[in-house]
Amino acid sequence: MNNHTNLKRISQAIDFLVQHEDKQPKLEDISRHVGLSSSHFHKTFSRYVGISPKSFLQSLTLESAKQLLSQSSTLNTSIETGLSSGSRLHDHFVTLEAITPGEFKSQGQGMRFEWGVVESLFGTVFLCWTNKGIHQLFFVDSTAETELNSLRKMWPKAELTQNLSQATQLAENVFSSLQKKPLQTPLSLWVKGTNFQINVWRALLKIPPGSAVTYGQIANTIGNPAAQRAVGSAVGQNPISFIIPCHRVILKSGIIGNYRWGKARKRMMLMMEEKEKASG
């Protein structure tokens, strides 16, 4: 069974667990849902997610989410200073640069955008980048036609070139922190957003892996405590998933909350980061 099929079945299993959490489904129920034997499913799930299906189900409870949030008691300091002790992702810094009005006005004239669709730990991703840095990272179900059409509309005069080899290398670098590998090269991001959105995304970059914050904490950090709803909107419009870790923002109640690319994927990211943090 290839990696793509495995990832798809793991995603289906996580969706099933999230939907039936209150019924506490047994291993046989989950494995039957994804079309695998119980033993094969248990081994595959544990290998990809890092914990057993039973442990994953236990982590879906509200108390688990609250515990994750409680680990962020010193998070305001972490956000303000950018410290992320034990984080492999931040062994090398991530820089974020905003698109200038002039660059956007040019509609991409004389610019070259490269892109590719590749597999990752969390499913299929669409990556787009320029010589300035990564421009987009979206999770997609199959093709990236919607993303490409949006890219062409945003940059109608730019050259778009598919580069599967480079996209594969970028994806390996981006997700290396969860495979006990250091970043091969520093990551540069080049994004389009309002000043408010850029400030929110910069704050997200400072959240250590294995931790979580609330929308209110982010609002306080950027000096606008009344802007929690606007913060939520900016988080939802994040153009570079995982690297700009919008998955680390949860509700004040401790509930995981929604995620642009699926609640199950968000839970999986948080759990794998928490496990990696615990392993040192």
Side-chain angles (χ1 to χ4, degrees):
M1 190 182 301
N2 60 36
N3 188 53
H4 176 73
T5 302
N6 280 332
L7 287 168
K8 185 175 181 179
R9 282 182 166 163
I10 294 302
S11 179
Q12 290 174 342
I14 292 174
D15 281 336
F16 181 82
L17 286 167
V18 170
Q19 293 169 13
H20 299 85
E21 172 192 348
D22 57 332
K23 298 178 181 178
Q24 295 291 297
K26 296 181 179 180
L27 179 64
E28 294 78 11
D29 300 323
I30 313 167
S31 57
R32 188 184 307 114
H33 178 74
V34 298
L36 294 175
S37 68
S38 296
S39 59
H40 189 186
F41 168 71
H42 188 279
K43 290 179 182 178
T44 303
F45 189 96
S46 299
R47 178 161 62 90
Y48 276 80
V49 182
I51 59 175
S52 69
K54 182 178 180 179
S55 296
F56 185 89
L57 183 60
Q58 291 172 342
S59 76
L60 294 180
T61 64
L62 177 61
E63 286 305 313
S64 177
K66 286 183 176 179
Q67 183 178 1
L68 178 65
L69 187 61
S70 70
Q71 294 171 2
S72 304
S73 59
T74 61
L75 193 57
N76 285 335
T77 300
S78 297
I79 291 177
E80 291 169 5
T81 62
L83 297 178
S84 51
S85 176
S87 162
R88 289 187 174 88
L89 179 60
H90 290 275
D91 283 346
H92 297 272
F93 59 86
V94 177
T95 59
L96 184 147
E97 179 183 348
I99 293 169
T100 66
E103 288 171 332
F104 186 69
K105 187 177 180 180
S106 73
Q107 298 185 315
Q109 181 71 47
M111 297 178 62
R112 179 181 179 181
F113 288 79
E114 296 184 86
W115 65 275
V117 178
V118 298
E119 292 303 316
S120 76
L121 284 169
F122 305 109
T124 309
V125 294
F126 168 78
L127 276 159
C128 171
W129 65 95
T130 73
N131 60 351
K132 291 179 176 290
I134 297 174
H135 184 50
Q136 294 178 348
L137 193 163
F138 296 145
F139 289 99
V140 295
D141 292 329
S142 54
T143 67
E145 199 58 40
T146 299
E147 288 72 25
L148 282 172
N149 288 337
S150 297
L151 195 63
R152 292 188 183 102
K153 182 178 292 188
M154 185 183 297
W155 304 103
K157 296 182 181 179
E159 174 188 355
L160 269 60
T161 304
Q162 186 175 16
N163 188 337
L164 183 58
S165 175
Q166 182 63 22
T168 300
Q169 292 180 25
L170 275 174
E172 289 177 353
N173 197 29
V174 167
F175 297 103
S176 62
S177 63
L178 292 176
Q179 297 174 300
K180 299 185 182 298
K181 299 177 183 177
L183 285 173
Q184 298 170 9
T185 57
L187 294 173
S188 297
L189 315 180
W190 186 64
V191 298
K192 176 184 178 295
T194 64
N195 289 337
F196 182 86
Q197 289 173 327
I198 297 297
N199 286 337
V200 170
W201 298 338
R202 289 189 192 281
L204 295 179
L205 281 170
K206 296 178 181 179
I207 306 172
S211 300
V213 300
T214 65
Y215 297 99
Q217 285 178 294
I218 295 293
N220 289 332
T221 298
I222 64 174
N224 198 339
Q228 293 188 35
R229 290 177 64 89
V231 165
S233 178
V235 169
Q237 294 172 25
N238 169 26
I240 304 180
S241 178
F242 191 76
I243 306 177
I244 299 177
C246 54
H247 60 280
R248 295 178 193 152
V249 184
I250 65 178
L251 301 179
K252 186 177 181 180
S253 63
I255 296 175
I256 293 294
N258 293 325
Y259 185 55
R260 180 176 177 180
W261 293 284
K263 186 182 294 187
R265 183 175 278 122
K266 178 176 181 176
R267 290 179 185 271
M268 188 174 176
M269 288 179 176
L270 287 170
M271 289 182 59
M272 291 185 72
E273 288 184 339
E274 188 176 12
K275 178 178 179 293
E276 176 65 11
K277 178 182 178 181
S279 68

